[in-house]
Amino acid sequence: MKNIIFISPNFPTNYWQFCRELKNNGLNVLGIGDQPYDELRAELKNSLTEYYKVGSLENYDEVYRAVAFLTFKYGRIDWLESNNEYWLEQDAKLRTDFNITSGFQVGDLHRIKYKSGMKEYYEKAGITVARYHLVEDIEGCRDFIARVGYPVVVKPDNGVGAAHTYKLKNDEELQHFMATRPEGVPYIMEEFVHAEVNSYDAIIDSHGEPIFETGNITPMSIMDIVNDNDNSIYYILKDLPEDTRAAGRAAVKSFGVKSRFIHFEFFRLTQDQEGLGKKGQIMALEVNMRPCGGFTPDMINFAHSTNVYKIWADMIAYDSTLTPVGGHQFCAFAGLRDGKNFKMSHEDIMAKYGSCMKMVDRMPDALAGAMGNRIYVATFPTREALDSFYSDVLACW
């Protein structure tokens, strides 16, 4: 029986389903988290052989001791995973320290976590990347801006999501950023790309081949959503475009991805842009070596009448899957921000779209910055129906 350690199985709140499917596939599932055992949901408790509570998942020594204890008790650990961007570096360090070879190691981090490191591997795949500059002093930034022009985007070279990411439109904003940026945090500056984000979401087997593929579109910039406290929308595509599929598969090969659930992000240009391409073309944004965040795995299930939690667990247990994929639809996410004066009340939304609705919930505070506070997830057979839904639920007085 394979032993798998799942880090933070209780958060995000839907991740207990990964553990359930691992158990259903006959694996020994060992959880490490910082939530008291009595507070875990019953479904998660029933999916775990054992749960080891640490005082803080941020404390590497504590987590190391937890892995050591579970190794002593159950034998060699075959897999260690969190499927969470925040813990990717710690996961890699634990795998390296315990010689768990079924995932990324410390030596892999530069290309999978640092935005500057990702550029090389996207280029090796033949995919265009935005020009960039590693921020050191204001003179170097001005030299870079003299080449690419304003606006530019600045973000932590090793960052999670759109946190601390800003668009600088003029020299005054550049000076303010340089004066207030956090000390000791390496930043990357990139030319601004006029585009929407198209993703390639896939579960990859041990040979680097996809056993499931889909994608989503984010019409609005996550950076703007966070910084402007705006609503959040994105949707799972009914069918994955062939250019996104080709770019995703090429990037998987270039980055050496094996045995993972991934979320690769691409720009699709919304206008011609000199040095980058023509309107409609695909170019690189960044790679995420984990599932798309929030409730996206559930949305993928709704869009494709499948179970990606099971497909991922099948990949670990069998390196393949027989889990069926059914009819395809669009699956829309709308994250509405508290404090806005929406034209449609919750009751209005449910009266018109209740038959399409798959989830209605409050987003956890830790995710609300990028995802909104009150969420609606609904499926639609056509793009026209999808667009009407967004037009209705986002309308404000």
Side-chain angles (χ1 to χ4, degrees), residues 109-168:
L109 289 174
H110 181 70
R111 78 177 189 277
I112 68 170
K113 279 288 289 173
Y114 288 82
K115 294 173 176 63
S116 57
M118 296 173 189
K119 303 275 189 181
E120 174 186 353
Y121 291 87
Y122 264 133
E123 289 182 310
K124 284 181 178 178
I127 302 168
T128 303
V129 302
R131 289 172 289 182
Y132 74 99
H133 168 72
L134 292 176
V135 174
E136 293 181 357
D137 54 48
I138 197 166
E139 289 78 14
C141 292
R142 284 175 172 150
D143 288 344
F144 175 71
I145 294 167
R147 288 190 285 120
V148 303
Y150 281 112
V152 292
V153 174
V154 288
K155 50 192 173 184
D157 194 22
N158 178 14
V160 178
H164 308 293
T165 298
Y166 309 102
K167 181 165 69 174
L168 309 180

Side-chain angles (χ1 to χ4, degrees), residues 80-131:
L80 183 146
E81 192 54 76
S82 67
N83 277 340
N84 191 321
E85 181 82 19
Y86 192 80
W87 303 117
L88 282 185
E89 290 187 49
Q90 181 169 271
D91 291 351
K93 184 166 173 49
L94 289 166
R95 290 192 202 101
T96 300
D97 287 349
F98 286 91
N99 193 31
I100 303 168
T101 59
S102 54
F104 288 118
Q105 309 290 302
V106 169
D108 299 313
L109 289 174
H110 181 70
R111 78 177 189 277
I112 68 170
K113 279 288 289 173
Y114 288 82
K115 294 173 176 63
S116 57
M118 296 173 189
K119 303 275 189 181
E120 174 186 353
Y121 291 87
Y122 264 133
E123 289 182 310
K124 284 181 178 178
I127 302 168
T128 303
V129 302
R131 289 172 289 182

Side-chain angles (χ1 to χ4, degrees), residues 246-265:
R249 290 183 176 184
V252 164
K253 297 297 185 186
S254 182
F255 281 87
V257 180
K258 296 179 179 178
S259 304
R260 292 204 70 77
F261 198 149
I262 58 164
H263 171 65
F264 285 8
E265 293 178 333

